[in-house]
Amino acid sequence: MKVIIGFEIHEQLATKTKLYCDSPTNYREVEPNTNVCEVCTGMPGAKPYPMNQDAIDAAIEIALMLNCEIVRDPIYIQRKHYDYPDLPSGYQRTSLPIGIKGELNGVGIWEVHLEEDPGKYDPLSGKVDYNRSGVPLVEIVTAPDMHSPEEARSFLRELTKVLHYTGKVRPEGGTMRMDTNISLEGGARVEIKNINSVKGAYRALKFEIARQKNLRKRGIIVKRETRAFLETQMITRSMRTKETAEDYRYIPDPDIPPLLITEEKIKQIKSLMPEAPHLKLSRFMEQYGLSRDDAWAITSEIDMADAFEEVAKLYGKPGPAASFFRHIVKKVLGYNDLSFRESGLSGKAIAELLSLRDSGKITDAGAEQVVRTLVKQPGDVRRIIEKKRLIRIDEDHVLEKAVKEVLEENPGAVKDYKSGKAEAMNFIIGKVMAKTRGRADPKVVRKLLIKELG
Ligand SMILES: [Zn+2]
């Protein structure tokens, strides 16, 4: 049964000030209701400032990165009315599309808008914090071009990557919010709200597809409705039927002149735009001779891609460097659930580490241990090697002793090896590596073992 999925995605823009006033946007670090003024709290008679130019530029850049056409007609700012305590003026300002007809990874991008974030309402305490009110958001509306939760997830990951490449969204992440439309072929469309992460979207879609298939199996017609995703319970639940487009009573905001984007502006933004991830990927393959898989892994995050280029320059061997990034750096980051940017790693440190490894001062395992230390906080590579005593063991008698001990401690594996089980050798090497805390060269260990075992 064909599944049809589309998204409406909101991401905060990393501007210093809000969209229609000069209140700061760093609402996370301050007390509630301190980064506010009469505009963003909707005081009677308060007039918006001219639209924040940085936010406009960011929205244009994002639309261009998503391969959109930029709208050259006057773009009106609409008032979208609804009543909720987080919206002091009773309407949210949302632009008509700035970009249209885009595409990313085979998924159509219908529209890119600029909007303002509402405040934060806590229904439990009844308190509202307006620090977030008026923070600029980019809204991205996709075509219903995805057909499984897996496809949806890989699109969202790619989109996240592109947004972070622009440097125009909050680098710390976690500010993406989305609604998704989902239907089974021939069935009604269900909208799911309140999704706050890629993982959440995947889970909500999984659940909702199962729910709709189940209803259909039992001969029940799926209703067109809006459901809320309850992340803690991993289910979707019917919401009070929300307003339709008519209920929002859209009107052009009389206080704000329509936006006009000039050809010159588009040219200027294009000239300053970062390389798109897919272009960087092809360049890395061409310029550094990397495999597609290596280039893909390294360009997954712009900070990692930049660090790789620094390593390629300082260390000089892009092939081995790429392999180290893909197999060691990415693995350790994944294990610690950190991005490159959040980690203490740098291109300079990795270049130094690789040179020390090549000169034989440390082993591959030792290099990985340094990475494990560095991801948690930046540090001096040589000092870490000394402090953690990771210098490679070259004294034969030390290694021979370790080998003998391991053989004595693992008679079963020795027996297996002697009876023809070649894989027992790897087990024994692993034990020697563990005993030497990764400071032995596995090739030397293998030689010693073969000598010992005959
Ligand atoms: Zn304000």
Side-chain angles (χ1 to χ4, degrees):
M1 209 178 305
K2 198 172 178 189
V3 175
I4 301 155
I5 300 167
F7 284 106
E8 245 176 59
I9 297 144
H10 296 91
E11 176 77 91
Q12 283 183 357
L13 296 173
T15 55
K16 287 204 172 63
T17 55
K18 294 184 182 179
L19 194 49
Y20 297 108
C21 63
D22 63 1
S23 302
T25 53
N26 62 334
Y27 64 88
R28 288 172 180 207
E29 297 118 55
V30 298
E31 290 294 305
N33 296 308
T34 46
N35 285 348
V36 292
C37 69
E38 53 279 17
V39 176
C40 55
T41 52
M43 293 292 174
K47 292 274 179 268
Y49 294 25
M51 218 169 170
N52 183 333
Q53 188 62 47
D54 290 343
I56 299 169
D57 290 359
I60 297 172
E61 180 171 331
I62 288 167
L64 288 169
M65 288 284 275
L66 298 173
N67 307 299
C68 287
E69 284 172 24
I70 301 301
V71 174
R72 303 292 311 281
D73 296 328
I75 299 166
Y76 286 88
I77 311 304
Q78 306 265 95
R79 288 180 176 181
K80 174 184 177 180
H81 296 81
Y82 66 91
D83 287 315
Y84 204 66
D86 63 2
L87 199 64
S89 55
Y91 56 82
Q92 182 185 24
R93 293 190 185 92
T94 170
S95 79
L96 288 177
I98 287 175
I100 52 170
K101 296 183 194 162
E103 183 272 332
L104 180 71
N105 260 23
V107 173
I109 304 292
W110 272 346
E111 292 173 358
V112 174
H113 304 252
L114 201 49
E115 281 190 359
E116 57 182 345
D117 217 346
K120 237 180 188 166
Y121 173 55
D122 176 11
L124 287 179
S125 65
K127 284 182 179 165
V128 192
D129 175 9
Y130 291 118
N131 280 342
R132 198 178 72 180
S133 171
V135 169
L137 293 176
V138 63
E139 182 191 31
I140 298 158
V141 184
T142 80
D145 283 345
M146 288 149 280
H147 303 294
S148 68
E150 288 73 23
E151 261 182 60
R153 179 173 61 187
S154 84
F155 168 77
L156 290 174
R157 284 184 177 155
E158 185 67 16
L159 177 68
T160 306
K161 182 160 86 180
V162 171
L163 292 176
H164 284 271
Y165 260 63
T166 65
K168 298 291 157 68
V169 299
R170 304 246 153 230
E172 67 271 21
T175 52
M176 195 186 256
R177 277 167 279 155
M178 59 202 115
D179 306 333
T180 178
N181 293 303
I182 172 158
S183 59
L184 301 180
E185 197 166 23
R189 217 178 60 172
V190 172
E191 188 180 11
I192 307 172
K193 289 192 173 283
N194 288 352
I195 302 172
N196 297 316
S197 66
V198 176
K199 207 188 272 172
Y202 177 76
R203 289 171 171 167
L205 288 168
K206 275 269 193 208
F207 175 86
E208 185 56 23
I209 291 168
R211 191 188 68 88
Q212 292 187 19
K213 282 190 174 164
N214 230 326
L215 287 176
R216 205 176 262 203
K217 224 182 273 167
R218 287 155 49 205
I220 302 169
I221 289 168
V222 175
K223 274 188 303 190
R224 176 162 186 173
E225 65 173 338
T226 301
R227 299 177 70 85
F229 176 52
L230 308 175
E231 184 137 24
T232 47
Q233 296 164 50
M234 293 296 151
I235 57 165
T236 64
R237 190 178 66 189
S238 190
M239 278 169 91
R240 167 179 54 87
T241 319
K242 263 262 183 157
E243 293 82 352
T244 61
E246 297 89 75
D247 295 333
Y248 284 132
R249 294 175 292 123
Y250 282 102
I251 54 159
D253 194 311
D255 291 332
I256 303 166
L259 191 61
L260 261 181
I261 302 171
T262 62
E263 192 59 49
E264 203 186 349
K265 184 65 171 171
I266 299 170
K267 262 194 201 143
Q268 180 211 341
I269 289 174
K270 273 188 179 163
S271 72
L272 298 169
M273 240 164 66
E275 190 176 30
H278 69 281
L279 297 176
K280 202 183 276 293
L281 183 135
S282 349
R283 179 169 66 78
F284 276 22
M285 289 171 67
E286 178 125 334
Q287 184 178 341
Y288 300 113
L290 304 190
S291 69
R292 174 166 285 273
D293 285 347
D294 281 354
W296 170 264
I298 294 166
T299 55
S300 63
E301 191 191 333
I302 192 163
D303 292 88
M304 184 155 19
D306 289 347
F308 169 78
E309 294 211 83
E310 198 183 349
V311 173
K313 207 165 114 196
L314 295 171
Y315 166 68
K317 293 179 228 168
S323 163
F324 190 77
F325 268 85
R326 180 170 158 212
H327 298 290
I328 307 297
V329 173
K330 291 244 354 167
K331 182 179 81 179
V332 177
L333 287 172
Y335 185 76
N336 287 281
D337 200 17
L338 289 170
S339 64
F340 193 91
R341 187 178 192 285
E342 293 162 332
S343 79
L345 291 165
S346 68
K348 195 171 152 266
I350 293 171
E352 189 179 6
L353 186 57
L354 288 173
S355 303
L356 289 169
R357 182 195 67 176
D358 289 3
S359 72
K361 190 157 165 89
I362 49 168
T363 61
D364 284 327
E368 183 171 337
Q369 291 205 41
V370 176
V371 172
R372 281 195 218 147
T373 307
L374 278 175
V375 289
K376 293 190 183 122
Q377 57 179 11
D380 182 78
V381 171
R382 282 170 193 273
R383 198 166 301 157
I384 293 169
I385 291 171
E386 265 160 45
K387 213 172 150 202
K388 300 231 155 204
R389 294 196 281 139
L390 294 172
I391 297 166
R392 195 171 91 166
I393 302 173
D394 282 322
E395 298 88 349
D396 284 351
H397 66 276
V398 180
L399 282 182
E400 273 162 18
K401 184 166 165 272
V403 163
K404 282 204 176 108
E405 280 172 19
V406 166
L407 292 178
E408 266 164 37
E409 287 158 14
N410 298 277
V414 173
K415 210 172 135 201
D416 284 350
Y417 178 73
K418 288 193 167 160
S419 68
K421 283 189 188 151
E423 67 270 20
M425 175 60 95
N426 290 333
F427 173 81
I428 300 170
I429 293 174
K431 287 284 174 192
V432 178
M433 293 303 288
K435 196 173 256 307
T436 56
R437 294 187 303 113
R439 296 185 304 144
D441 180 343
K443 282 187 218 110
V444 178
V445 172
R446 180 181 291 271
K447 254 186 229 156
L448 286 173
L449 280 169
I450 289 171
K451 204 174 89 186
E452 282 295 321
L453 294 168

